């Protein structure tokens, strides 16, 4: 997006943040209570140090902008969760993330999950490690381990069932984003670049979800029945 307009990449990311706030407003108006965005992948650390440093500084500036008193989060009563391996982030980014989560902790209208230093494979691995440690410490029995338990151990916790995943920029790959959570969801591929994402693009994705809603519910029901049957067989054995 930035290259087409002969802007540097940082400017493109800044425009993307502005568009995120607009999209959040639309979601609030539509009654959508949980939104998860992919801000920075662990794989992005492989980019040039200059670009990574620029993105980290931008993340701090935008998190602090969100966190300001009477700022966007407070006005709209949005609670922020920053999800990912935050230990990989520079200290000043960790501190900005902590500030955003702290000041919005009691906001109850909606939840904004910001995936920062994130990949879905790392998230699943981390969840499995937590479960294993629970078994080793005697807090869990091996028979307690199931899909629901792993879902609860994911970064997204109680919001681990995605209804609609929107992939912009004309890409038809998942980019290691919410692979577990989106396994039984509607995926809408949009050719538009994120800074140009409009209300009409959101509406078309929602229509895609609505048209597949019945099939999704049926697929989830079959999956639940199969999981329950499998657990029952295991207990009988």
């Amino acid at each position: 997006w930035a290259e087409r307009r002969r802007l540097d990449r940082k400017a493109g990311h800044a425009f993307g943040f502005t568009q995120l706030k607009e999209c959040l407003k639309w979601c609030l108006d539509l009654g959508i209570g949980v939104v998860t965005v992919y801000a920075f992948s662990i794989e992005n650390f492989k980019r040039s140090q200059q670009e990574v440093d620029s993105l980290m500084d931008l993340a701090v500036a935008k998190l602090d902008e969100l966190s300001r008193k009477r700022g966007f989060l407070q006005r709209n009563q949005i609670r922020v969760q920053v999800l990912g391996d935050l230990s990989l982030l520079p200290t000043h980014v960790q501190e900005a993330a902590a500030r955003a989560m702290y000041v919005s902790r009691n906001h109850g209208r909606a939840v904004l999950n910001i995936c920062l230093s994130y990949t879905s494979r790392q998230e699943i691995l981390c969840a499995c490690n937590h479960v294993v440690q629970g078994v080793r410490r005697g807090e869990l029995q091996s028979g307690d381990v199931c899909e629901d338990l792993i879902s609860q151990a994911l970064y997204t916790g109680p919001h681990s069932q995605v209804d609609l995943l929107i992939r912009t920029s004309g890409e038809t790959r998942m980019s290691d984003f919410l692979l577990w959570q989106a396994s039984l969801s509607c995926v809408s591929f949009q050719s538009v670049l994120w800074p140009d994402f409009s209300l009409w693009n959101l509406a078309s994705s929602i229509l895609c979800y609505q048209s597949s809603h019945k099939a999704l519910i049926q697929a989830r029901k079959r999956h639940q029945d199969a999981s329950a049957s499998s657990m029952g067989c295991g207990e009988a054995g």
Side-chain angles (χ1 to χ4, degrees), residues 2 52 64 197 216 233:
V52 171
D64 284 344
F197 190 82
L216 283 174
C233 290

Side-chain angles (χ1 to χ4, degrees), residues 70-136:
R70 291 185 293 277
F72 183 80
L73 297 180
Q74 188 178 46
R75 290 197 310 272
N76 294 285
Q77 286 295 290
I78 298 172
R79 177 165 60 91
V80 162
Q81 296 186 130
V82 182
L83 312 180
D85 187 349
L86 305 190
S87 67
L88 299 177
L89 296 169
T91 301
H92 67 303
V93 183
Q94 294 182 39
E95 292 171 346
R99 285 193 295 271
M101 290 188 283
Y102 181 78
V103 301
S104 66
R105 67 194 184 283
N106 294 322
H107 297 173
R109 186 181 179 190
V111 175
L112 170 61
N113 293 320
I114 301 175
C115 292
L116 194 63
S117 183
Y118 171 95
T119 65
S120 185
R121 287 174 295 174
Q122 189 274 339
E123 177 187 27
I124 294 168
L125 178 61
C126 183
C128 291
N129 283 335
H130 281 310
V131 172
V132 168
Q133 291 303 316
V135 173
R136 286 177 176 172

Side-chain angles (χ1 to χ4, degrees), residues 129-225:
N129 283 335
H130 281 310
V131 172
V132 168
Q133 291 303 316
V135 173
R136 286 177 176 172
R137 290 191 297 264
E139 298 167 355
L140 295 168
Q141 300 297 317
S142 59
D144 296 331
V145 180
C146 61
E147 284 190 27
D148 284 344
L149 183 63
I150 294 175
S151 292
Q152 293 170 32
L154 296 171
Y155 296 140
T156 45
H159 306 126
S160 290
Q161 177 61 68
V162 170
D163 291 315
L164 171 63
L165 189 145
I166 302 174
R167 182 62 165 98
T168 60
S169 306
E171 299 286 352
T172 54
R173 54 192 173 88
M174 299 292 284
S175 298
D176 211 349
F177 181 50
L178 300 179
L179 300 180
W180 181 286
Q181 297 90 331
S183 61
L184 291 168
S185 70
C186 173
V187 181
S188 173
F189 295 102
Q190 295 275 349
S191 60
V192 65
L193 298 175
W194 173 248
D196 293 326
F197 190 82
S198 70
L199 177 58
W200 300 112
N201 296 121
L202 177 62
S204 70
S205 293
I206 292 173
L207 285 173
C208 176
Y209 167 74
Q210 290 176 331
S211 66
S212 62
H213 181 261
K214 184 177 180 180
L216 283 174
I217 296 301
Q218 291 173 343
R220 290 175 184 175
K221 179 65 166 57
R222 288 194 299 269
H223 180 73
Q224 289 174 350
D225 291 345

